[in-house]
Amino acid sequence: MVRIGVLALQGGVREHAEMLKSLGAEVALLRRFDDVDGLVIPGGESSTIDRLLRIFGQREAFAAALRDGLPVLGTCAGLITLATEIEDPAPGQEGLGVIPMRVRRNAFGRQVNSAVERIDTAYGTVEAAYIRAPEVLSVGDGVEVIATKGGRIVGVETRSALAVSFHPELTGDTTIHARFVEKVRVRN
Ligand code: GLN
């Protein structure tokens, strides 16, 4: 059985935990770094997640493990957290530099414009919820685009990381999580 950590500082932690358990993974809710087989960084508010990682002195431990190839799934704020470059960061906010990409926060409008849509991904159609979702503006070497929405990049993948702008954990669609658990299993 693989043990997957969900970063539990802020945001939609419980929905990810339940989805991972339904796929047969053991789940650990992490406020501090721990030795896990994979990590999920949930949606929420990326600047708050960044600030809390710093306040609790955990930013470097997570960043080092992720740069070292720990498999990771980031959704929405989690995608922003994994980026090398944030176009419009909150004051002091920086990505962990795990996926070479430039992102723009809140690229699809305000909370009131939130929507559930079916979108095509490399792994099939996914029921996706968008809540103040980010857009990936450009990607660097080794990054594959796995989902687009109206021509704009909303999903990317590298050898170890998977990141999407939307919230698959809120619609009950397990496509993205199943792919992530498979990535974790292959590495183990
Ligand atoms: N707009 C948020 C941010 O900048 C992300 C929103 C979300 O995770 N649903 O972090």
Side-chain angles (χ1 to χ4, degrees), residues 13 22 26 34 42 50 55 83 104 106-107 116 118 129 142 147 168:
V13 174
S22 82
E26 183 189 331
D34 192 18
D50 184 45
I55 289 172
R104 179 191 289 150
N106 307 318
V116 175
R118 296 191 66 80

Side-chain angles (χ1 to χ4, degrees), residues 42-47 75-78 80 93 105-106 131-134 167:
E45 174 48 52
S46 57
S47 56
T75 61
C76 205
I80 298 167
Q93 179 184 9
R105 298 166 64 216
N106 307 318
I131 307 169
R132 297 171 59 227
H167 292 267

Side-chain angles (χ1 to χ4, degrees), residues 32-105:
R32 316 195 127 260
F33 182 75
D34 192 18
D35 195 16
V36 283
D37 300 317
L39 178 73
V40 172
I41 305 181
E45 174 48 52
S46 57
S47 56
T48 304
I49 293 172
D50 184 45
R51 194 157 44 82
L52 293 174
L53 279 172
R54 289 172 201 267
I55 289 172
F56 296 132
Q58 293 298 304
R59 196 173 187 280
E60 267 321 301
F62 280 102
L66 294 172
R67 286 193 208 114
D68 216 38
L70 176 68
V72 62
L73 167 64
T75 61
C76 205
L79 173 143
I80 298 167
T81 302
L82 292 171
T84 45
E85 267 184 277
I86 304 172
E87 183 178 76
D88 51 352
Q93 179 184 9
E94 282 173 305
L96 294 176
V98 177
I99 304 179
M101 63 179 173
R102 182 171 174 83
V103 301
R104 179 191 289 150
R105 298 166 64 216

